[in-house]
């Protein structure tokens, strides 16, 4: 009979649900008891541990300014080295040694080869103390 089977299945599901709920409650109760036991065991240890950690933090606090000063010193040295490299290798240093940077006047592109500036090309020459306007005579023109 389907109704009887359904009723029997419902009863079995209800029993299984009750058993599962009891098992979960038992596990939660056991876990709470375990936590309480651990809490009781940790209670005498906790103040000593907190004192140890407080002393450790005090030591770190005393060392922190020295560590920061040392790191700032290293960073300042690295910055000075980078500044010196830039001064020696930068474009202005090249210009100060007597070289010029030649750009096409129309698009600002740097002229690297004679073919980059055919005859009649407007040029802008950057020098150590300013710039000049010029016109190209073309590749191979000596003058």
């Amino acid at each position: 009979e389907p109704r009887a089977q359904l009723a029997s299945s419902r009863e079995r599901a209800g029993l299984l649900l009750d058993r599962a709920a009891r098992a979960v409650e038992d596990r939660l109760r056991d876990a709470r008891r375990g936590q309480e036991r651990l809490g009781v065991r940790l209670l005498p240890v906790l103040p000593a541990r907190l004192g140890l950690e407080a002393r450790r933090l005090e030591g770190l606090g005393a060392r922190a300014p020295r560590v920061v000063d040392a790191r700032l010193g290293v960073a300042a040295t690295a910055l000075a080295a980078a500044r010196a490299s830039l001064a020696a290798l930068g474009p202005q240093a090249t210009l100060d040694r007597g070289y010029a940077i030649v750009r096409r006047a129309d698009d600002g592109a740097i002229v690297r080869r004679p073919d980059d500036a055919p005859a009649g090309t407007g040029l802008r020459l950057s020098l150590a103390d300013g710039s000049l306007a010029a016109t190209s005579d073309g590749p191979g023109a000596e003058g």
Side-chain angles (χ1 to χ4, degrees), residues 16 19 23 28 32 64 69 78 84 88 94 97 101 106 114 117 121 138 143:
L16 291 173
R19 188 186 308 169
L28 287 173
R32 265 190 237 111
D69 288 343
T94 302
R97 288 193 299 269
I101 298 174
D106 61 347
T121 302

Side-chain angles (χ1 to χ4, degrees), residues 97-110:
R97 288 193 299 269
Y99 291 89
I101 298 174
V102 180
R103 297 179 185 274
R104 286 193 301 248
D106 61 347
D107 63 2
I110 293 177

Side-chain angles (χ1 to χ4, degrees), residues 48-97:
R49 179 64 186 256
L50 287 175
L52 176 68
E53 292 300 322
R55 286 189 300 280
R56 187 177 73 82
L57 286 174
E58 287 171 7
L60 289 175
R63 276 193 344 223
R66 289 191 309 269
V67 170
V68 169
D69 288 343
R71 287 191 180 175
L72 284 175
V74 169
T77 301
L79 181 60
R83 188 177 290 129
S85 292
L86 181 60
L89 302 174
Q92 186 61 44
T94 302
L95 296 175
D96 290 342
R97 288 193 299 269

Side-chain angles (χ1 to χ4, degrees), residues 20-70:
R22 279 193 306 274
V24 168
E25 287 173 359
D26 290 344
R27 285 198 178 185
L28 287 173
R29 187 175 47 252
D30 291 345
R32 265 190 237 111
R33 286 184 188 146
Q35 287 176 347
E36 289 170 1
R37 283 192 304 269
L38 286 174
V40 168
R41 287 175 46 198
L42 285 175
L43 196 56
V45 175
L46 194 56
R49 179 64 186 256
L50 287 175
L52 176 68
E53 292 300 322
R55 286 189 300 280
R56 187 177 73 82
L57 286 174
E58 287 171 7
L60 289 175
R63 276 193 344 223
R66 289 191 309 269
V67 170
V68 169
D69 288 343

